Amino acid sequence: MDTLAIIEILSPLVSGEAYEAGASIDTPTIYVPVDRLVETCIALRDTPALRFNVLIEVTAADYLPRDPRFEVVYHLLSVPCRHRLRLKVRVAEA
């Protein structure tokens, strides 16, 4: 499943959010607004077509001097569907 297909399924489930596809050569990547992270993860877990039920890794990157400075990166796995997904959340220094 590619990034745009995941965004198409996810967008109607999280009200008022426009997700941004991230550049990646290996894993579908979606930028998620920080205030919608929990709601997005619940939708990713509970939607039968997605079923991302494993958090593989959480990491972060520092892009000084960019603002927002940080990106928190979540790698998810859907065992039943055999899909991977990378979520990125931009976070300010404060």
Side-chain angles (χ1 to χ4, degrees):
M1 182 173 287
D2 69 2
T3 302
L4 296 180
I6 294 170
I7 290 173
E8 186 176 312
I9 294 168
L10 189 59
S11 291
L13 302 174
V14 182
S15 61
E17 284 311 313
Y19 294 99
E20 179 184 340
S24 176
I25 60 170
D26 61 348
T27 303
T29 301
I30 299 173
Y31 281 93
V32 177
V34 68
D35 62 335
R36 293 290 191 218
L37 177 62
V38 172
E39 187 177 357
T40 298
C41 289
I42 291 170
L44 287 167
R45 181 194 66 197
D46 294 345
T47 302
L50 300 173
R51 295 174 62 193
F52 285 97
N53 58 342
V54 178
L55 174 63
I56 297 172
E57 177 181 44
V58 179
T59 189
D62 184 346
Y63 292 104
L64 182 70
R66 190 180 79 181
D67 189 36
R69 178 175 172 178
F70 301 104
E71 284 184 1
V72 180
V73 183
Y74 301 84
H75 291 108
L76 305 177
L77 173 66
S78 170
V79 173
C81 299
R82 300 180 66 184
H83 299 300
R84 293 180 180 267
L85 177 63
R86 179 182 297 124
L87 297 182
K88 292 186 173 187
V89 181
R90 294 179 179 112
V91 182
E93 187 172 355

